[in-house]
Structures are given as C-alpha cells and as structure tokens.
Amino acid sequence: MLPGAPAGRPDPVPAPPVGPPSGPPLRPVPCSGPRPGPPAGRLAHTPASGVPAARPPSSARSPSPRHHRPAPPVPPEPHKESDVLRRAFMTGGTAAVTAPAWGGGPAGPHRRAGEPEAAAVEEAVRRIRLFDDRFGADGLYARAARPLRTAYALLDAGTHRPAITERLQRGAGELAISVGWLAHDSGRFADARSYYAEALATARVADDRALEAHAFSNIAFLARDTGRPREAVRAAQAAQEAARPLSSPRLLSLLALREAGGWAALQDRAACRAALLRAESLFGRGASAADPEWMSFYGEAELAGLTAQCWSALGDWSRAAEHAHRAVVLQNPHFARNITLFTAELAGDLAGGGRLDEAAAAGCRTLELLGQVRSGRIRAMLDGAARVLRPHRRHAAVAAFLARHQASGRRAAHRSPGPGAPPRRI
C-alpha cells in the first residue's frame, strides 16, 4: 500500500485481540471451472544500510487538514469494464489532470503555478489511489509517471505564493509515493525504491513531517517485501519518530504494524507481539481529524490483514488464517484490491496449515477476484499458495484449483506488459 483512496473512513470500531478472533468458521466452497470474470529523480541520501537516516528532533509542522470525500462502497466491475475504465482514467484523468492551465504542455520560463495547478496535482493523487483500490496497479503503472514529471516541472517553474509552493511540494511527494506504490504492487521493486526515495527527499526539502512519515512507511513495507527485514524495522521506527507530533493515533498504529512486519520477518516473536499490541492500542483510540487523507484504507479489516501477515511470517498458520478471514469479511467492498490481497493471504495460510479444501476454495476465490484486479504482488502470493498445495495435487479440490491457477497464469502472461516497460525517468 501501499496507498489510500478517496473513500469515507469507517466508523471507529474496537480493535480485535492479537489471538484468534471469534467468527464464523471457514467453509470450503467447490472450485468449479473457469468463470468470466525508476526514475533517477532527486534521490535522498541513504547510508550503507539502505535506509535514509531519521531526521533529528525538531519542531513539528501542523498536518494538513483531511479532505472528506464522499465515495460510497461500490462492487467491483467485471474485467472488461475495468479495462475500459483504466484506459479512460489514464487518457482523460491523471495524464491530463495536471495540464489544465498550461495548455497541455510544460511550463514556460515565465509561467508560474497557482491554485489550479496545485489542485490538479492533488486530484491526480486521489485518482490514482481510487483506481488502485478498485483495480490494482498493473494496469496503471506504465503511464502514471507522466503526472509526476509534470508536478515537478510545476515546482521548478516556481509559484507566486509560499502556500502554493507548500501544496505543490506535498502533492508531488504524495504523487511520488503513489507511483512508487504502483511499481511496488506490480513487482517492480527497484523502481518503487527510487520513487519512495524521491518522496522522502521532497519531504525533507519541504520540512513536511506527515509526508516524511508516509514515505518511511512505504519504504518499510517495501523492505519487508524484498527480504530486508532490519531495514523494515528501522524505516518503520523512523516513520513513527516523524509522526509522533502529528496527533494521529491511527497513523502511529499503522506504522507500528509496519514495524511488527519487520520483526516477524526476523522471527523475533516477542518484539513482533509487542508492536502488534501497540498497534491495537493506538487503533482503539479511534479516528482523528489529523489522520492523513491517504489512510482512508486503514480500518479494522486492514489491521486484521496486516496482523495475519505477521503471524504467517512467524509460521503460526492457524492464527494467521483467523485474522486473514476476519480481514476478508470486514473489508469495505470499495477496496477490491485489498479483498483480493487478503483472500490470497488466507489461501496461503490455510495451505500452510494443511487445510486443503479450504485453501483450494480460497485460492479459487482469489482467481475470480483477479479477473477484475491486476496486481503482480497478489498473483505472486497466490503462486506461493499453489506451490505449497502442489504436493497434494491428487486431492480433488486441490487439483481443480491448480488447473485453474495454471490456466489463469497463462492468460495473465498474455495480457501483461511485464516489468520490462517502466515509465521514463523524471
């Protein structure tokens, strides 16, 4: 995530316990046949560890007020319609949204950015998040760097007012994180790392703690996903240091979960559990007006899903499956990508625990959802579940899932441009 979206925040709910929550039993469902269904940029200095150093203590900037945007839950569209929406979005939305006052071209030497340009950059961020939440990153990433290049061109052209400069800096940084997330979720990890560093450099230049915390959060997430757990812990701790003055318990809760993920990957059960307990406690304090706009995805379902990933990394398959199931059940339908993600997580956790019928059913459900969501990261998670199940292919439900998984993989390879076509450098 990752990643936020222009959806309303759910009402505060009590945090679930760290242990297995109560809930309906997991029921296997028959697995039927097929259904329709890096930039070079302005990189931040990083020490040898790969993690940019945490900033020294300083006075905090006030976080920008959250924008409350109405976005009622909507069901995912079929795959064909989602392709149409992706194309319409990229040709008439994000790719064009930053050019309204510039006649579609770059800023001239005597043109300066103003309110319309700052608003356009902010809208580009919202549009990317919205479509990623519903359809995943694979269909968006190749074109998403264009508005980012435009945002930095607007900054380079200058503004007439410091307030506009501040908005453009924050918008460009958030846009760099969004494009980095699209690279991350589609498996282009080197590109993602570069974009996140770009965002962190922008945050440091602007002295924007909220943006800095967001950049470090995604750096921690990427480090965990790419086998650098100590870097994940350090980046998550740096994010918490930046976020402490911002008066957002929910933000600190998410950052504690990022730290827990690093500890889980290091197999430090005690440190992981302590971070999980801290995350739950902070989440239980409820939402705040200071919560960043990008955190609209973070509710009880996300808390359960990220907790599941920690227990999975620790090999506690039963507890991981319970939390993953809870995440799927509680997720707002708007967040189709996250429903797909946690269903794939559930399939892997059930497979790890030897619950073959349930794992095959969850795997088949993930394949259905991948008809409308494109995410290389989620498909890789499902590939992992399939590898665990392959020795049991004589089991009827497992055999049916593996057949569908193999056919789906061929279709995905045929329509995906692959990671070899990154956007131009900024």
Side-chain angles (χ1 to χ4, degrees):
M1 323 194 164
L2 76 84
R9 184 177 301 279
D11 293 334
V13 291
V18 172
S22 59
L26 304 175
R27 295 183 182 138
V29 178
C31 188
S32 58
R35 305 183 188 183
R42 306 165 179 79
L43 301 184
H45 170 70
T46 58
S49 68
V51 185
R55 66 191 291 155
S58 64
S59 58
R61 299 173 66 90
S62 299
S64 58
R66 294 176 63 247
H67 301 277
H68 297 274
R69 304 182 307 282
V74 292
E77 280 84 353
H79 176 69
K80 184 175 180 181
E81 183 176 356
S82 71
D83 275 349
V84 172
L85 289 172
R86 280 190 192 94
R87 287 194 296 270
F89 167 61
M90 295 312 300
T91 57
T94 302
V97 75
T98 52
W102 300 91
H110 304 295
R111 298 291 301 278
R112 295 202 172 194
E115 164 67 28
E117 289 73 39
V121 171
E122 292 161 353
E123 180 62 18
V125 175
R126 295 186 187 109
R127 283 174 176 261
I128 287 178
R129 289 173 182 165
L130 171 64
F131 275 72
D132 172 61
D133 284 337
R134 294 176 63 186
F135 304 123
D138 286 7
L140 302 178
Y141 172 63
R143 298 184 183 93
R146 177 179 170 186
L148 180 57
R149 288 194 298 270
T150 305
Y152 279 109
L154 292 172
L155 270 176
D156 289 341
T159 69
H160 290 290
R161 291 186 292 147
I164 297 297
T165 300
E166 186 174 314
R167 284 178 62 188
L168 279 175
Q169 286 175 323
R170 184 180 302 116
E174 291 292 346
L175 198 50
I177 292 173
S178 291
V179 177
W181 167 249
L182 296 179
H184 182 169
D185 194 48
S186 56
R188 297 158 169 95
F189 298 135
D191 287 2
R193 188 174 177 85
S194 189
Y195 281 118
Y196 292 160
E198 176 89 17
L200 183 59
T202 303
R204 292 286 179 78
V205 169
D207 192 25
D208 188 328
R209 282 183 172 267
L211 179 59
E212 182 177 350
H214 192 185
F216 269 128
S217 173
N218 279 49
I219 289 169
F221 197 5
L222 178 65
R224 188 208 67 173
D225 282 356
T226 53
R228 299 192 300 273
R230 292 194 186 280
E231 178 180 326
V233 170
R234 289 193 295 270
Q237 290 171 343
Q240 291 169 78
E241 181 65 28
R244 279 193 185 95
L246 302 179
S247 303
S248 174
R250 286 283 170 93
L251 174 56
L252 289 172
S253 173
L254 176 60
L255 299 177
L257 284 171
R258 296 283 188 248
E259 182 183 342
W263 290 125
L266 287 166
Q267 299 299 297
D268 191 329
R269 191 181 185 94
C272 176
R273 185 177 177 85
L276 288 175
L277 289 171
R278 191 165 72 252
E280 291 171 12
S281 175
L282 289 162
F283 184 90
R285 296 184 190 179
S288 162
D291 293 346
E293 181 180 358
W294 61 267
M295 280 187 60
S296 59
F297 72 96
Y298 185 54
E300 189 177 8
E302 186 77 9
L303 174 65
L306 294 178
T307 300
Q309 292 178 356
C310 290
W311 292 120
S312 179
L314 290 168
D316 192 333
W317 304 116
S318 176
R319 187 171 290 187
E322 291 289 348
H323 281 283
H325 180 252
R326 184 177 179 86
V328 172
V329 169
L330 294 176
Q331 188 61 263
N332 184 321
H334 167 79
F335 297 102
R337 194 197 67 83
N338 281 359
I339 292 173
T340 311
L341 170 73
F342 294 131
T343 306
E345 173 69 32
L346 177 60
D349 295 337
L350 292 168
R355 296 158 69 174
L356 302 182
D357 287 331
E358 294 169 279
C364 287
R365 176 59 179 152
T366 305
L367 288 171
E368 292 175 7
L369 293 167
L370 283 171
Q372 57 240 358
V373 170
R374 292 194 194 176
S375 165
R377 193 169 69 98
I378 296 175
R379 187 163 287 279
M381 291 172 64
L382 189 61
D383 291 346
R387 282 193 296 273
V388 174
L389 290 172
R390 201 161 286 128
H392 307 282
R393 55 185 170 274
R394 296 188 180 216
H395 190 88
V398 172
F401 161 65
L402 291 175
R404 286 189 63 191
H405 175 261
Q406 185 176 18
S408 174
R410 287 195 296 266
R411 290 193 298 273
H414 175 72
R415 66 175 181 255
S416 173
R424 298 177 187 175
R425 294 186 175 189
I426 297 173

